[in-house]
Amino acid sequence: MSLSRRQFLRQGGVGLLAFTVGGCTQEMTPQEARRRGAALQVLSETEVAGLERLGETLLPGSAERGLAQYIDHQLAANPEDSMLMIKYLGVPRPFAPFYSGGLAAASVAAMQLYDTELAKLTDEQSNALAGRIASGELDDWQGPPSPFFYFVLRADAVDVVYGGERGFADLGIPYAAHIAPPSRWGE
Amino acid sequence: MLEPALADRHFDAIVVGSGATGSAFAAKLTAAGKSVLILEAGPDRTREQLVSSTLWARRLKWNGAPVLEAGANPVGHSFNAGFGVGGASLHHYAVWPRFHVEDFEMSARYGVGLDWPIRYADLRPYYDEVQQEAGISGDATAEAWRPDGAAYPMGPVPLFEQGRIIARGFERLGKKVAPLPLAITSTAYRGRPPCTWDGWCDAGCPIGALANPLTVYLPDALSRGAVLVTDTPVTRIVASADGTRASGVLVKGADGSDVELTADVVVLAAFAVQNPRLLLASRSAAHPDGLGNNSGNVGKYIMSHSAALVYGIFDEETHYYRGAFGGQLVNQDCYPKNTHAEDGAFGSYQWMIANAVKPNDLLGVATTRADLFGDELHEFMRRAARGFASMTGVVEGLPSASNAVTLSDEPDEHGVPLAQVTHSHDERTTALWNAALADGKRIFEAAGASEVWTGPQGAMHIMGGTIMGSNSGNSVTNEYGQLHDVRNVVIAGPGLFPTSAGVNPTFTAIALAARSARHIAQNWRDVARG
């Protein structure tokens, strides 16, 4: 049975983006891109692993919804077409150094506090680290201001989980689009 | 993009910027028979591009040269400004109250702030004219605080659950509420359909219910022959050798070369930061500190409103996603400037009650509790989905010469120095913001909210920077927006405001543009002479 466009978007969280799998560019959701192992364009595998660990801590389910793939896709796009919230938070373009810098600083903090890679923190450790990032309590933090990094990454996770038709449906509220997000954009 | 042939054509007027006031100016001048070229730095926009998505809405925000921000209370330029046809008003919320009589006479009445060179009575006919053209829904009689003016052309916007619930708190405390005056259609109006109240205003209104430039003024201007050129940033205003008049502007052609476009009159409608930036960057021998800046006032008195954000959760279903982004109801009981004087506060504020919001984004539900993460955040989102409610106070910011747009040492890609905006609120403004939050919490508690919390002192709207005044010693322009020093350069937009009032600025900015355009059209020969 074929899915209607509305049903497909509901399953797709933030909608369809263009990802590359096996050398071919295809439209898929960030969630599907993650499942199918779409090629990363900006972030490294290590950064993605750390990002997913933090993302899961900030909003469980965000990694599975393709948080890292969504951010990576947006960072690779023309900043003018970016849909990341950071775009209007006063951060100079390009935005990749913000994410890389924050993730690097979080990785250092994970090693200092727990002698463990960021991606391998336990839930308890990751929760504690997220709390310290949010409150700016990490004295040796070398990156964008840690409360701001927390704010931005948390917002990205919320976008991926609750920012599309599926997220609205999860909350039981109508999306009621005048014009639904199209299948192709930012290209 | 710029067609080379345009460089050979002389226009009556060049309008820089296609936002609310640029579009209105172009419509008024073309109606007077003038040839108009509109230059837009950003891309073209069409209604079909206005996708209902908080993510997509971010594409409408500022995308031009970076604006550097400093001071204790940055104005949030990237959030408040727009880019492309329609400018900031493409994503504005269309809350269109009038300034009050006292807002124009702040120094004379209170010894605080600045006086305008005009009074409310001077602007009233243009408020009336613009509200008829753009269409405002409301109930003028119910707005007990409203200054004199014609009744709204459309009846009030509908009241949904969130509005009814919050109104209960106002009523229990003996406060009034009235339908929020919105430039959104509550009924079919001049070929526009009525709004469907789905709360996507922030993403741009694709159906023409909200009075943004794609719906009002710009189509009129284009139908009367105005030429709109997009993706073409202006890099300089070109002045005559003796500096008494402008001959046109410099833009970047498609190949990156400088192209001079000429006109009798140049209208700067590029918003409150880019207008002074362009003036300051247009130095010449006759204007060594920037065009129109012989008295050093260009860039000064940048202002912002403080957003007083009040949130709550009620046991009832609020349907918080319904209605208009700006809200459903208004209260201006705290408009008198000294209402909270005992708290060290000064100024006005109004409540925009029952804002339609979405789960995500900067003004979305999740961000209101930025302290929550993990399972707690999910639990909050589920709880809020049923009973979330919010209202926003528009808290007046006071003018200060130290709050200013200046040029940085860093150039943009075209060699034009970037703008730096320095802004810190007066202590009396912060005291007023705190008083408003306390007021708002009491209202939500009285309404029966089971949880009440407030947000940070966010920046809302940008005004000032090219203020109008009675003489060149205290301002940049005269009462019609003409530079004191160069009379055929005209400023349009909220940058003209000497004071910020405690209400949203767009309606007043357009009314000023309408007044200015009429004066200029009627005195064309004198104005064009410079």
Side-chain angles (χ1 to χ4, degrees):
Chain A
M1 189 178 79
S2 63
L3 292 173
S4 72
R5 171 178 168 72
R6 181 168 292 268
Q7 286 172 317
F8 194 58
L9 286 168
R10 283 168 67 95
Q11 292 189 0
V14 299
L16 301 171
L17 318 180
F19 290 96
T20 301
V21 177
C24 299
T25 300
Q26 302 173 40
E27 289 179 355
M28 62 188 87
T29 67
Q31 181 173 3
E32 191 178 0
R34 180 177 188 266
R35 184 173 57 75
R36 296 178 61 183
L40 298 166
Q41 300 177 78
V42 176
L43 299 174
S44 68
E45 294 289 350
T46 302
E47 287 173 328
V48 165
L51 177 55
E52 290 195 339
R53 174 67 277 204
L54 274 180
E56 277 300 288
T57 304
L58 298 177
L59 195 59
S62 61
E64 190 262 341
R65 292 282 180 97
L67 171 65
Q69 286 69 27
Y70 171 67
I71 292 174
D72 182 72
H73 183 278
Q74 292 296 304
L75 294 178
N78 181 345
E80 189 167 312
D81 296 325
S82 175
M83 298 182 187
L84 295 171
M85 191 199 279
I86 194 175
K87 174 183 173 181
Y88 57 60
L89 297 179
V91 176
R93 298 171 299 213
F95 305 127
F98 175 89
Y99 285 94
S100 296
L103 290 169
S107 297
V108 169
M111 288 302 294
Q112 288 178 340
L113 292 171
Y114 307 112
D115 195 27
T116 304
E117 290 176 31
L118 176 62
K120 294 180 179 172
L121 294 179
T122 65
D123 287 350
E124 186 178 353
Q125 290 168 335
S126 190
N127 271 325
L129 177 61
R132 296 180 73 166
I133 292 173
S135 61
E137 292 173 1
L138 294 162
D139 293 336
D140 295 331
W141 179 269
Q142 297 289 323
S146 72
F148 185 52
F149 180 65
Y150 159 86
F151 181 84
V152 171
L153 202 55
R154 178 185 176 279
D156 294 335
V158 172
D159 279 347
V160 170
V161 174
Y162 288 120
E165 294 202 49
R166 177 175 173 179
F168 279 52
D170 289 345
L171 293 171
I173 64 176
Y175 194 84
H178 293 296
I179 299 176
S183 59
R184 297 184 71 87
W185 51 271
E187 298 174 68
Chain B
M1 298 295 285
L2 187 70
E3 296 289 338
L6 284 176
D8 300 325
R9 183 175 168 191
H10 182 83
F11 287 86
D12 291 326
I14 289 174
V15 177
V16 181
S18 64
T21 58
S23 296
F25 229 108
K28 300 289 182 184
L29 291 183
T30 53
K34 303 302 178 187
S35 61
V36 174
L37 171 64
I38 307 169
L39 296 171
E40 169 55 50
D44 195 10
R45 307 278 188 204
T46 64
R47 287 189 192 170
E48 293 72 25
Q49 297 170 340
L50 302 177
V51 173
S52 302
S53 161
T54 50
L55 279 64
W56 271 76
R58 294 167 189 164
R59 292 163 58 121
L60 305 179
K61 304 284 187 178
W62 180 249
N63 258 322
V67 172
L68 312 177
E69 298 214 35
N73 306 100
V75 297
H77 179 269
S78 297
F79 180 75
N80 283 299
F83 196 65
V85 172
S89 59
L90 196 54
H91 58 73
H92 93 304
Y93 309 152
V95 181
W96 284 26
R98 297 174 185 224
F99 278 30
H100 288 213
V101 172
E102 61 268 32
D103 293 324
F104 297 83
E105 308 167 25
M106 294 285 282
S107 179
R109 287 189 180 215
Y110 310 105
V112 177
L114 305 169
D115 286 337
W116 293 51
I118 58 174
R119 294 295 180 257
Y120 175 79
D122 298 310
L123 203 53
R124 179 196 155 164
Y126 300 93
Y127 277 128
D128 291 348
E129 176 183 304
V130 170
Q131 79 173 18
Q132 201 68 28
E133 293 167 344
I136 297 182
S137 299
D139 182 343
T141 305
E143 285 182 54
W145 325 270
R146 186 178 186 256
D148 292 341
Y152 296 118
M154 287 177 281
V157 302
L159 190 61
F160 299 102
E161 286 79 356
Q162 185 189 178
R164 287 192 196 96
I165 290 167
I166 302 175
R168 199 166 59 202
F170 281 89
E171 289 155 8
R172 286 174 181 167
L173 295 177
K175 297 172 182 283
K176 298 179 287 290
V177 293
L180 185 67
L182 290 169
I184 299 176
T185 51
S186 59
T187 58
Y189 189 74
R190 294 190 171 189
R192 294 157 55 193
C195 178
T196 54
W197 310 111
D198 289 331
W200 286 113
C201 313
D202 189 37
C205 178
I207 65 171
L210 190 150
N212 65 40
L214 298 187
T215 296
V216 296
Y217 292 128
L218 190 56
D220 294 339
L222 297 177
S223 72
R224 290 192 284 262
V227 176
L228 170 64
V229 178
T230 60
D231 303 291
T232 304
V234 172
T235 57
R236 181 183 179 83
I237 303 156
V238 181
S240 59
D242 65 0
T244 58
R245 66 183 303 279
S247 57
V249 299
L250 279 187
V251 300
K252 286 294 175 186
D255 61 356
S257 62
D258 289 323
V259 177
E260 184 170 352
L261 303 169
T262 64
D264 291 340
V265 172
V266 174
V267 178
L268 293 185
F271 206 23
V273 171
Q274 299 303 317
N275 277 349
R277 176 190 181 217
L278 197 49
L279 291 173
L280 292 169
S282 299
R283 296 188 178 114
S284 65
H287 299 281
D289 297 320
L291 195 68
N293 196 31
N294 291 352
S295 61
N297 285 313
V298 171
K300 291 182 177 175
Y301 302 105
I302 277 285
M303 294 171 285
S304 174
H305 291 131
S306 287
L309 304 164
V310 179
Y311 311 111
I313 288 184
F314 292 82
D315 294 335
E316 302 132 280
E317 285 209 37
T318 55
H319 297 172
Y320 66 74
Y321 40 84
R322 295 213 67 192
F325 216 92
Q328 300 170 29
L329 297 166
V330 64
N331 168 278
Q332 295 182 349
D333 282 351
C334 292
Y335 215 87
K337 306 292 180 186
N338 283 308
T339 300
H340 292 287
E342 73 279 6
D343 300 318
F346 180 85
S348 301
Y349 67 86
Q350 72 166 3
W351 290 114
M352 299 186 298
I353 302 161
N355 316 110
V357 296
K358 302 299 179 185
N360 64 320
D361 203 30
L362 190 60
L363 301 179
V365 174
T367 309
T368 71
R369 286 298 308 270
D371 57 315
L372 298 179
F373 64 87
D375 289 333
E376 272 190 306
L377 177 54
H378 276 306
E379 197 281 325
F380 167 73
M381 294 300 289
R382 284 191 288 269
R383 200 166 70 248
R386 186 170 191 279
F388 180 82
S390 67
M391 66 179 185
T392 303
V394 180
V395 178
E396 179 170 11
L398 297 175
S400 166
S402 60
N403 288 332
V405 176
T406 54
L407 296 182
S408 84
D409 295 332
E410 188 180 345
D412 70 7
E413 60 181 314
H414 304 304
V416 181
L418 299 181
Q420 171 157 321
V421 187
T422 303
H423 182 264
S424 300
H425 278 305
D426 189 285
E427 289 179 359
R428 291 166 290 184
T429 299
T430 299
L432 185 62
W433 174 74
N434 278 312
L437 290 182
D439 183 34
K441 288 172 78 171
R442 281 192 295 272
I443 292 163
F444 266 47
E445 286 162 1
S450 55
E451 300 173 44
V452 183
W453 67 102
T454 60
Q457 190 176 13
M460 183 187 211
H461 312 132
I462 306 174
M463 298 149 286
T466 50
I467 66 168
M468 58 167 53
S470 57
N471 62 72
S472 62
N474 63 17
S475 55
V476 176
T477 83
N478 67 9
E479 64 179 280
Y480 299 107
Q482 296 171 268
L483 295 184
H484 289 301
D485 302 340
V486 188
R487 294 294 176 113
N488 73 329
V489 175
V490 185
I491 305 292
L496 291 169
F497 297 180
T499 60
S500 71
V503 295
N504 314 58
T506 303
F507 189 20
T508 299
I510 297 176
L512 282 176
R515 182 175 186 269
S516 176
R518 176 167 300 177
H519 171 82
I520 286 162
Q522 289 177 344
N523 299 275
W524 189 263
R525 198 167 294 174
D526 286 345
V527 173
R529 201 163 47 221

